[in-house]
Every structure is written in C-alpha cells, then in structure tokens.
C-alpha cells in the first residue's frame, strides 16, 4: 500500500472527495412570468406610489363617509364662495355647497363609470381580438377591418353624439349612457393587443401538443392561449381605465355626461368654471383629484407593462 492510499484509508471513506452541499437535493422552483413580474413590481417605486393613490381613490368611492361626514347636497346661499375652515376644508362653491364633500363623493360616479366602461370595452375587445387572432383567414380580415373602421371614428365627436342620444331620458342621471358610450368606443386598442398576443401564442409548441391530444378550439382558446395572452391585455385595460375617467369628466364638463342629481368631478369643474376668477378653489380641487386619479392608473399600467415586458428586464 502506498503512502497516499494509507492516508486515505486512515481518513475514512469519502474524506478525499468534496462534500455535497446541504441543500443540493433541493432544486430552485422555476418562476412563472407572473412571478418574475411581481418581483420587479415590488422593487418599483412608481408601482407602490400608484397603488397607494389608487387604493385611496377606491376607498373614497366605496366609503366616502370615512373621509367626510358632511352632506355634499346640503347647500346654503349664505355660504356662497365661503373660505376654507375646519368644517369645510376646501371652502364653498357658488351654491354654498361644501367643495371638499362634493370632491370626495364625486369619486364614486367617476370611478363607477370608469370601471364599468373598461369592463365593457374589455369584453368586446376580448371577443374580437381572440376571434381574429385564433381563426385567422377571412375571419381575421373581416374583424380587423371592422376594428380599423371603429378606430377611425373621431372619439370625442362620436362620444358626444352617442351619449346625447342615449341620455335623452330626462329622468336618467346619465351614468348608463356614459358607461355604454365609453365602452363601445374604447375597445379597439385592447382588441388589437389581444389579437397580436393570440397570434404569437397559438403557434407555440404547447398549443400544438394540446391540439394533437384532441383539444377543441374552445379548450385551446380558454385553457392554453388566453392565459398566456392576457398579460398585455390587462395592462391596456388598466391604462384605459384612467382614460375613461378623464373622458367621463370631459363629457360631463360639456354638459352631455352625468346630469341631474349626480355628483362627479366633471360636473363640479363645469359648474365652477364660470366663477374661476372670483373663487378658483371649487375648480382647482376637483381638477387636482381628477388629474391625480388618472395619473395613478396610467402609472400603474406603465409599471405593470414594464414588469411583464421581457425586453426591459
């Protein structure tokens, strides 16, 4: 026995070989695209700032009494254009209404219209985009040309005509009319994004494997293509939500949006516009809340888009 063999025998078996790591048998679990995106989002300051702003606005819309105990419809001309005080943080408007209370309660209709219109646009865009991308051929050509036609219609002009037609009932407050108007006019971008994502997903190997195993078109679209194509679609809808809130305020400002006893930021801005020189507060505060809300949703959409885009990693 040589000297090296004797030393090895004295040290015992396995002493001359490197020891295996304690956790060598534990393999790292592969992360999905959503998992990688969430890691990036947690590191994004823009995402957290936008999320906090969105959460505050949603609380205002759902539970306005958490922010104020005043009645936005309790008005008195004796308080016309009154200065800010402990009972009215933003002062009073030309009707003697509490501007702070109207601003808080105005979030409800603005958010409601924005969310419902976005959901309606999402359903329409999903149907058109998924159908055009999956079936292709003449179906894709027909649906794509229809999308182009709707996209070519001037948005503001069509919204004015359609909202005025739908809100002809004098007893309506205009919420349904504005929701339907924004929903049927704002789905085109979401549909085009969904179509592109479906075309990229349906040529993947997992879709071909599922088709060879006998999966039908409905199962392929719902179980395999849609879950892998919906990320960009959701990002577009998030940005569209902020756009719809701004569009509702625009229509209400023009006098063809919400009406009657409805309270919204657009109505408040429209009513205060005539008195901006003598009392700018009733115009400034709803405008700030509107701008902050729209910016928050757009920032949230941009952050989510950057997290789901592999080219930006």
């Amino acid at each position: 026995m040589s000297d090296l063999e004797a030393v090895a025998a004295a040290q015992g078996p396995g002493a001359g070989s490197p020891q295996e790591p304690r956790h060598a048998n534990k393999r790292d679990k592969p992360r999905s695209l959503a998992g990688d995106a969430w890691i990036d989002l947690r590191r994004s300051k823009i995402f957290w700032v936008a999320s906090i702003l969105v959460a505050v606005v949603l609380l205002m819309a759902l539970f306005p009494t958490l922010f104020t105990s005043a009645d936005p419809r309790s008005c008195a001309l004796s308080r016309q254009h009154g200065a800010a005080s402990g009972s009215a943080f933003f002062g009073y408007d030309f009707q003697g209404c509490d501007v702070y209370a109207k601003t808080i309660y105005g979030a409800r209709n603005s958010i409601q219209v924005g969310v419902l219109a976005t959901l309606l646009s999402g359903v329409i865009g999903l149907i058109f985009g998924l159908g055009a991308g999956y079936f292709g051929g003449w179906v894709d050509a027909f649906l794509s040309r229809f999308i182009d036609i709707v996209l070519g219609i001037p948005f503001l002009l069509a919204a004015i005509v359609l909202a005025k037609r739908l809100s002809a009932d004098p007893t309506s407050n205009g919420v349904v009319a504005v929701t339907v108007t924004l929903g049927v006019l704002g789905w085109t971008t979401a549909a085009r994004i969904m179509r592109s994502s479906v075309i990229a997903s349906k040529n993947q190997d997992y879709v071909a494997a599922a088709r060879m195993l006998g999966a039908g078109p409905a199962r392929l679209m719902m179980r395999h293509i849609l879950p892998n194509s919906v990320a960009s679609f959701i990002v577009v809808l998030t940005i569209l939500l902020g756009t719809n809130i701004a569009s509702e305020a625009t229509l209400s400002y023009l006098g063809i949006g919400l009406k009657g006893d409805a309270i919204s930021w657009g109505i408040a801005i429209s009513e205060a516009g005539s008195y901006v020189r003598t009392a700018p507060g009733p115009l400034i505060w709803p405008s700030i809340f509107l701008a902050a809300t729209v910016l928050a949703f757009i920032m949230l959409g941009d952050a989510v888009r950057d997290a789901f885009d592999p080219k930006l990693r």
Side-chain angles (χ1 to χ4, degrees), residues 221-271:
M221 287 189 289
M222 295 295 108
R223 296 293 300 273
H224 300 283
I225 295 178
L226 183 59
N228 294 280
S229 306
V230 75
S232 300
F233 181 75
I234 294 176
V235 172
V236 172
L237 292 184
T238 305
I239 299 176
L240 179 62
L241 177 55
T243 304
N244 283 336
I245 294 174
S247 299
E248 178 274 322
T250 302
L251 294 177
S252 298
Y253 177 81
L254 295 175
I256 54 176
L258 304 188
K259 58 183 181 180
D261 60 346
I263 300 176
S264 76
W265 292 329
I267 295 177
I269 294 173
S270 177
E271 292 176 346

Side-chain angles (χ1 to χ4, degrees), residues 50-296:
S51 298
I52 292 173
L53 289 175
V54 169
V56 171
V57 173
L58 291 179
L59 281 177
M60 289 170 49
L62 295 174
F63 309 104
T65 54
L66 293 177
F67 298 86
T68 179
S69 58
D71 185 0
R73 294 183 173 88
S74 177
C75 307
L77 291 178
S78 59
R79 302 179 304 195
Q80 185 180 35
H81 294 157
S85 62
S87 58
F89 298 138
F90 298 163
Y92 298 93
D93 61 7
F94 73 102
Q95 292 179 332
C97 304
D98 190 338
V99 176
Y100 176 73
K102 291 184 66 175
T103 303
I104 296 297
Y105 277 85
R108 173 171 294 180
N109 281 327
S110 297
I111 296 298
Q112 178 182 0
V113 171
V115 171
L116 294 179
T118 302
L119 291 178
L120 179 59
S121 297
V123 172
I124 300 175
L126 180 64
I127 295 174
F128 275 78
L130 188 60
Y134 179 79
F135 292 105
W138 69 269
V139 176
D140 182 22
F142 175 77
L143 295 180
S144 296
R145 298 294 78 77
F146 183 78
I147 294 173
D148 293 338
I149 291 174
V150 177
L151 190 62
I153 300 176
F155 177 81
L156 184 58
L157 178 60
I160 292 174
V161 174
L162 186 58
K164 190 173 183 179
R165 179 64 178 175
L166 294 176
S167 61
D169 186 2
T171 61
S172 173
N173 61 0
V175 173
V176 176
V178 177
T179 299
V180 174
T181 298
L182 298 179
V184 300
L185 294 177
W187 56 271
T188 51
T189 301
R192 298 179 72 177
I193 294 296
M194 173 56 69
R195 173 183 174 273
S196 301
S197 300
V198 170
I199 291 176
S201 298
K202 74 174 184 179
N203 296 322
Q204 300 298 322
D205 293 338
Y206 59 85
V207 177
R211 185 181 290 109
M212 293 179 62
L213 292 175
R219 183 178 179 85
L220 287 175
M221 287 189 289
M222 295 295 108
R223 296 293 300 273
H224 300 283
I225 295 178
L226 183 59
N228 294 280
S229 306
V230 75
S232 300
F233 181 75
I234 294 176
V235 172
V236 172
L237 292 184
T238 305
I239 299 176
L240 179 62
L241 177 55
T243 304
N244 283 336
I245 294 174
S247 299
E248 178 274 322
T250 302
L251 294 177
S252 298
Y253 177 81
L254 295 175
I256 54 176
L258 304 188
K259 58 183 181 180
D261 60 346
I263 300 176
S264 76
W265 292 329
I267 295 177
I269 294 173
S270 177
E271 292 176 346
S274 302
Y275 307 94
V276 64
R277 292 186 178 181
T278 57
L283 174 66
I284 293 176
W285 289 114
S287 301
I288 292 176
F289 276 71
L290 173 63
T293 302
V294 174
L295 180 61

